[in-house]
Amino acid sequence: MPEARADPAWPRRRRTTGENVMPQFVIEREMPGAGSLSAADLKGASQTSCNVLRELGPEIQWVQSYVTDDKIYCVYRAPDEGLIREHAEKAGFPANSVSQVRSIIDPTTAD
């Protein structure tokens, strides 16, 4: 049975070791037509993001992004929302909503 995640410090602590980790954030980027972007366009956006990440240093990490018709949802790790917003500003990307992940559930949560 998976461990319950009621601990409010859980996103910052590894479940197995108690070691601190960075909080995770979900960023909603309103980008009309995002789902129609070409592979080259997405590669360019990725390169821009990675260049800014290198400039900002190892405290911020891009995990992955989900492209929908008119929005891109990105998952990042960072010590705080401010660094997420700084990345967006420097990269020229919108950050319409930035929300810290408090818990993660998946199908195994039902077990």
Side-chain angles (χ1 to χ4, degrees):
M1 180 176 223
E3 176 179 289
R5 297 179 180 165
D7 177 0
W10 175 81
R12 292 179 296 279
R13 185 180 303 127
R14 289 196 195 279
R15 292 178 10 189
T16 56
T17 66
E19 176 185 336
N20 286 335
V21 295
M22 279 190 263
Q24 260 189 175
F25 294 87
V26 176
I27 301 98
E28 180 182 60
R29 304 186 193 284
E30 293 182 16
M31 299 179 71
S36 299
L37 292 172
S38 69
D41 291 333
L42 293 171
K43 180 178 181 177
S46 176
Q47 290 171 335
T48 297
S49 179
C50 289
N51 289 338
V52 174
L53 289 169
R54 276 191 289 280
E55 176 186 327
L56 293 175
E59 284 193 316
I60 182 169
Q61 302 167 351
W62 175 25
V63 177
Q64 62 190 1
S65 296
Y66 302 90
V67 180
T68 66
D69 289 337
D70 294 312
K71 294 182 182 181
I72 298 179
Y73 298 90
C74 303
V75 179
Y76 278 72
R77 291 186 187 105
D80 56 57
E81 180 180 334
L83 194 53
I84 299 287
R85 293 199 177 274
E86 182 180 354
H87 170 268
E89 184 178 325
K90 287 184 175 206
F93 301 142
N96 303 91
S97 172
V98 177
S99 302
Q100 186 172 343
V101 174
R102 300 297 180 185
S103 295
I104 298 173
I105 61 172
D106 61 29
T108 64
T109 307
D111 295 342

